[in-house]
Amino acid sequence: MQKNKLEQYGPASNSRSHKLKGYGSVSGEREAGHVYTVSEITQKIKTLLEEKVGEVWVEGEISNFNSGPNGHFYFSLKDQSCIIKAAMFFYANRGLKFKLENGLKVLCFGKVNVYGPHGQYQIVVERVELKGIGAQQLAFEQLKKKLAQEGLFDQAHKRPLPLMPFSVGIVTSAKGAAVRDILQILKKGAPCVDALIRSVRVQGEYAAGEICSAIEELNSFGGVDLIIVSRGGGSSEDLWSFNEEAVARAVYGSRIPVISAVGHQINTTLSDLAADIFVETPSAAAKIIVDRKNALLSEIADWKHSLDFSMKNAINGLGADLIALKHALKSPADRLLEKQQFLDELLAGLNYNIRHSLELAKERSSSLIQRLGVLSPLAVLSRGYSLSMIIPKEEILKESSQLKAGDRLKTVLHRGSFTSIVQEVFRDEGKTGI
Amino acid sequence: MKEKPVFEEDLRKLQKIVDELSSGKLTLGESLKRYEEGVKIAQACSSTLGEAQRKVELLMKKDGKFSLEKFDDTDEGEEA
């Protein structure tokens, strides 16, 4: 530390020794009585410093940065132990691609000068180069941060692509590979899409301006559904125009949705970030449109199927209803047959019943006949009894009171019969003992 | 130039018809009418997408006026 300090002190003591030398000559001749005015001595120091030190490269870290109202920059360069004032005037700083800010490690080229009014020496910086990260990279990061803070990259601002872009505006070089790639893919995959090319330079100092106006022109021309801002691959320097603030703003500001397709995989430009959609290559941009067309076609086919299906369903449903109704609605002929069948069933039952009851009756009658046989008077006759009846009434005789003398009788025996005439009637003889 | 608004409107109409028809709430007569309409729109949309007549033009601007120039995009002698 001590050593370091001494080293740092070196040049200062050195310059002091310059001064001393100058002063020495004065002090040595103090008798001569020359006394400088402040301005004179300042002028002398100024001359000394500016001639002896002059133009230098100084390495250090920026601190106390501020920019004056006229666009001049004032800051300090410092290292661990020393600090030197620096000014970078507008004419020198307007070409800077990145912003100076505190903490930035830089290499400054400039002239040491003395600013009399403040009695200060400073370095007037003409050029600044970055230590570490590249200048362009820094500019990119700084701009990216700024635009992001403004909301240029917000998802909320991204517009959906049109359902189907039938007219595509292409901002690229008409001579480049990008436009060929895009047109080829559209031609093969989506020949229903018109292309409107606004040719621009895609690198160099005029590129950004041309890209911006092309976007605006496609917007105002009318009828364009989608804009592709594109460029084939290249070094990051080649693609730099697409990192310019104006281009990012033009992409963001387009009323028509923008696809940014710049360079290849690894490069993400600010134009990409500001676009509604960004893809890695020009071909990929065209493919989005082709995919969209194909997706729509298959969606329409699906809908068509759905229509067919619904219609078939409706018809089938009605068919089923019809069958059900037909069932419900019976023809009179069917009804008649049904009744006939019922009748047949009844008849069959009836037959059975009749036969059954006939059989029952037959059984009963034969048993009755048997019993009748037992009870028949004829059976009694066989045992010697006889049966008499008055002729011609054939009234069977049970009492003598039924008779008077002279009546004709018919008497039935077990075998055969005979007639007789009553001679005498005996009454009240009670039971005869025969 | 194709009529994009018509195309998008047609697609919306088609979707609506599909929804209506699949709801099963229409009478047979209405269904048939909607079905016919839907099929017609679907065919029109498909054929718009299937169209192969495209224009490729260069947009030029001179003295604040736009003009269109034919852009030759035939590639590698693929087409005459």
Side-chain angles (χ1 to χ4, degrees):
Chain A
M1 198 64 187
Q2 189 62 28
K3 188 173 168 226
N4 203 359
K5 211 165 197 173
L6 280 175
E7 257 173 27
Q8 294 297 335
Y9 209 65
S13 58
N14 216 358
S15 69
R16 175 122 57 85
S17 74
H18 277 292
K19 262 195 242 172
L20 282 175
K21 221 189 266 169
Y23 186 71
S25 64
V26 174
S27 82
E29 301 158 39
R30 182 181 277 196
E31 319 78 71
H34 186 86
V35 175
Y36 289 99
T37 66
V38 172
S39 292
E40 277 169 351
I41 188 62
T42 300
Q43 187 54 47
K44 185 148 187 153
I45 292 167
K46 191 176 166 75
T47 310
L48 255 171
L49 266 181
E50 288 174 5
E51 279 175 8
K52 298 280 178 189
V53 181
E55 290 183 330
V56 284
W57 282 97
V58 180
E59 180 184 336
E61 185 185 313
I62 292 177
S63 68
N64 304 322
F65 179 88
N66 65 77
S67 61
N70 298 319
H72 307 316
F73 293 167
Y74 304 100
F75 53 97
S76 305
L77 285 174
K78 65 173 187 182
D79 58 17
Q80 280 136 317
S81 47
C82 288
I83 197 160
I84 182 170
K85 296 244 173 224
M88 189 172 193
F89 296 115
F90 181 65
Y91 71 87
N93 71 37
R94 72 183 154 186
L96 268 183
K97 291 283 188 191
F98 52 92
K99 260 177 16 190
L100 297 187
E101 54 193 21
N102 292 336
L104 214 56
K105 298 244 185 340
V106 288
L107 269 175
C108 292
F109 174 78
K111 243 179 162 173
V112 173
N113 85 355
V114 171
Y115 183 54
H118 286 173
Q120 276 180 346
Y121 64 94
Q122 64 181 5
I123 176 163
V124 176
V125 178
E126 299 290 334
R127 271 163 66 192
V128 180
E129 284 178 14
L130 285 161
K131 288 279 289 178
I133 141 180
Q136 244 184 2
Q137 191 55 35
L138 182 71
F140 174 78
E141 296 300 338
Q142 286 171 341
L143 183 56
K144 185 169 158 185
K145 197 166 139 197
K146 172 175 144 190
L147 297 181
Q149 274 165 358
E150 277 185 45
L152 259 74
F153 310 145
D154 281 1
Q155 280 306 316
H157 288 285
K158 309 277 181 211
R159 287 149 304 180
L161 297 189
L163 213 48
M164 179 62 206
F166 283 110
S167 174
V168 176
I170 305 172
V171 177
T172 189
S173 163
K175 297 184 201 104
V179 73
R180 297 273 156 200
D181 289 352
I182 292 171
L183 290 176
Q184 264 315 101
I185 285 168
L186 286 182
K187 186 183 200 170
K188 278 200 192 111
C192 56
V193 175
D194 291 338
L196 192 58
I197 300 150
R198 185 78 183 103
S199 187
V200 294
R201 275 174 275 193
V202 288
Q203 68 189 77
E205 62 174 316
Y206 300 109
E210 289 186 9
I211 294 165
C212 293
S213 4
I215 291 172
E216 180 43 42
E217 282 157 15
L218 284 173
N219 267 280
S220 55
F221 182 70
V224 176
D225 302 327
L226 173 68
I227 294 175
I228 299 176
V229 175
S230 191
R231 185 202 192 286
S235 69
S236 61
E237 284 74 26
D238 288 343
L239 307 182
W240 203 252
S241 304
F242 295 88
N243 279 328
E244 300 222 11
E245 182 169 356
V247 172
R249 288 191 188 284
V251 167
Y252 175 77
S254 170
R255 271 106 52 213
I256 300 169
V258 176
I259 297 180
S260 177
V262 179
H264 283 299
Q265 283 83 342
I266 44 164
N267 324 98
T268 300
T269 63
L270 296 183
S271 153
D272 288 340
L273 295 175
D276 298 298
I277 286 187
F278 86 87
V279 288
E280 288 167 343
T281 61
S283 308
K287 230 183 137 278
I288 285 182
I289 297 170
V290 173
D291 288 349
R292 192 156 275 247
K293 188 210 85 174
N294 290 334
L296 273 175
L297 271 178
S298 75
E299 194 167 6
I300 290 170
D302 283 351
W303 283 343
K304 171 80 172 46
H305 276 133
S306 165
L307 284 180
D308 289 346
F309 180 77
S310 303
M311 201 63 230
K312 231 177 252 169
N313 258 2
I315 290 171
N316 286 346
L318 287 172
D321 287 355
L322 192 63
I323 288 169
L325 285 172
K326 252 186 182 166
H327 273 294
L329 196 72
K330 278 205 177 127
S331 84
D334 284 346
R335 246 162 218 271
L336 187 63
L337 285 174
E338 210 172 70
K339 294 281 181 210
Q340 277 175 344
Q341 189 181 354
F342 185 55
L343 195 62
D344 286 346
E345 279 165 17
L346 285 179
L347 279 174
L350 199 60
N351 277 342
Y352 171 78
N353 284 339
I354 285 175
R355 222 175 293 134
H356 186 64
S357 42
L358 276 178
E359 270 162 20
L360 278 180
K362 220 163 126 189
E363 257 170 51
R364 242 181 104 209
S365 70
S366 72
S367 88
L368 279 176
I369 286 168
Q370 261 182 332
R371 280 176 64 200
L372 204 60
V374 172
L375 292 176
S376 166
L378 300 177
V380 178
L381 294 186
S382 70
R383 299 205 305 263
Y385 294 88
S386 65
L387 236 159
S388 296
M389 53 202 118
I390 302 168
I391 297 174
K393 285 196 270 178
E394 294 206 341
E395 186 185 338
I396 289 181
L397 284 175
K398 290 177 188 167
E399 293 173 19
S400 56
S401 61
Q402 291 171 279
L403 292 172
K404 59 189 189 291
D407 280 348
R408 277 167 53 88
L409 296 178
K410 179 182 179 183
T411 302
V412 179
L413 302 172
H414 177 54
R415 282 198 189 109
S417 59
F418 64 92
T419 56
S420 56
I421 297 169
V422 176
Q423 289 184 325
E424 199 180 348
V425 177
F426 309 99
R427 301 198 195 235
D428 303 322
E429 271 182 32
K431 288 171 192 170
T432 54
I434 309 170
Chain B
M1 193 132 326
K2 275 134 210 140
E3 290 178 68
K4 180 180 70 120
V6 173
F7 178 81
E8 296 202 352
E9 176 133 335
D10 275 356
L11 277 187
R12 269 192 290 275
K13 253 195 236 161
L14 180 56
Q15 192 163 18
K16 196 171 157 245
I17 290 173
V18 168
D19 290 346
E20 280 176 353
L21 212 57
S22 62
S23 77
K25 286 181 191 152
L26 300 182
T27 65
L28 183 62
E30 284 167 336
S31 293
L32 273 171
K33 218 175 106 194
R34 304 301 271 160
Y35 173 76
E36 227 168 89
E37 202 179 339
V39 169
K40 212 186 282 173
I41 293 173
Q43 273 162 354
C45 288
S46 299
S47 77
T48 302
L49 289 174
E51 228 169 75
Q53 277 182 313
R54 63 170 194 159
K55 279 186 296 190
V56 178
E57 289 168 315
L58 264 177
L59 178 64
M60 311 292 278
K61 196 178 187 186
K62 231 180 219 170
D63 307 324
K65 274 187 190 166
F66 287 122
S67 63
L68 291 172
E69 262 178 37
K70 186 117 184 56
F71 183 80
D72 178 26
D73 74 322
T74 51
D75 235 46
E76 298 130 32
E78 189 193 37
E79 270 176 35

